[in-house]
Amino acid sequence: QVQLVESGGGLVQPGGSLRLSCAASRSIASFNAVGWYRQAPGKERELVISITGSGTRNYIDSVKGRFTISRDYARDTVYLQMNSLKPEDTAVYYCNAHYNSNYYWGQGTQVTVSS
């Protein structure tokens, strides 16, 4: 069993920045992969950016150059740094971890980009 807790969401103006955190209940070094997903109202949940244990990153084109995923092994925390935010980035953001053939989700944190 793995627990994931996201934080850091909020309201930000277009062009602004936010850093989301995903605190894990176990060593993030044990995860096969970890990533961030998002879901806007009426839309399907989509992968935003992920990273495997070997360091391979995957991300959607719309966030390339703006979003960065990073890991803090000392704190067992995964971060999503979001820069140059756009209104279309508005969504609930979820942390996901692949561990021991299972997938675990956090509760989500709301990100709203609006003037």
Side-chain angles (χ1 to χ4, degrees):
Q1 183 67 26
V2 176
Q3 286 78 48
L4 304 171
V5 180
E6 303 98 330
S7 62
L11 175 64
V12 64
Q13 294 184 348
S17 298
L18 283 175
R19 188 178 73 164
L20 306 183
S21 298
C22 173
S25 64
R26 66 172 298 116
S27 174
I28 64 172
S30 66
F31 295 159
N32 301 108
V34 64
W36 291 91
Y37 291 69
R38 67 187 181 189
Q39 187 168 24
K43 303 289 186 180
E44 295 185 352
R45 190 172 300 185
E46 65 175 351
L47 171 71
V48 178
I49 189 168
S50 66
I51 186 168
T52 68
S54 62
T56 300
R57 290 171 170 82
N58 293 286
Y59 43 81
I60 53 176
D61 289 341
S62 62
V63 307
K64 186 176 182 179
R66 300 190 298 122
F67 290 13
T68 303
I69 188 170
S70 62
R71 295 171 290 191
D72 186 335
Y73 292 100
R75 297 180 182 273
D76 288 327
T77 299
V78 181
Y79 300 100
L80 177 63
Q81 179 65 48
M82 303 184 293
N83 299 324
S84 302
L85 283 162
K86 304 175 181 179
E88 50 263 45
D89 295 319
T90 296
V92 177
Y93 283 71
Y94 298 89
C95 183
N96 174 267
H98 180 205
Y99 169 72
N100 196 29
S101 301
N102 294 312
Y103 293 86
Y104 300 89
W105 295 93
Q107 83 289 346
T109 185
Q110 176 71 48
V111 172
T112 302
V113 185
S114 176
S115 297

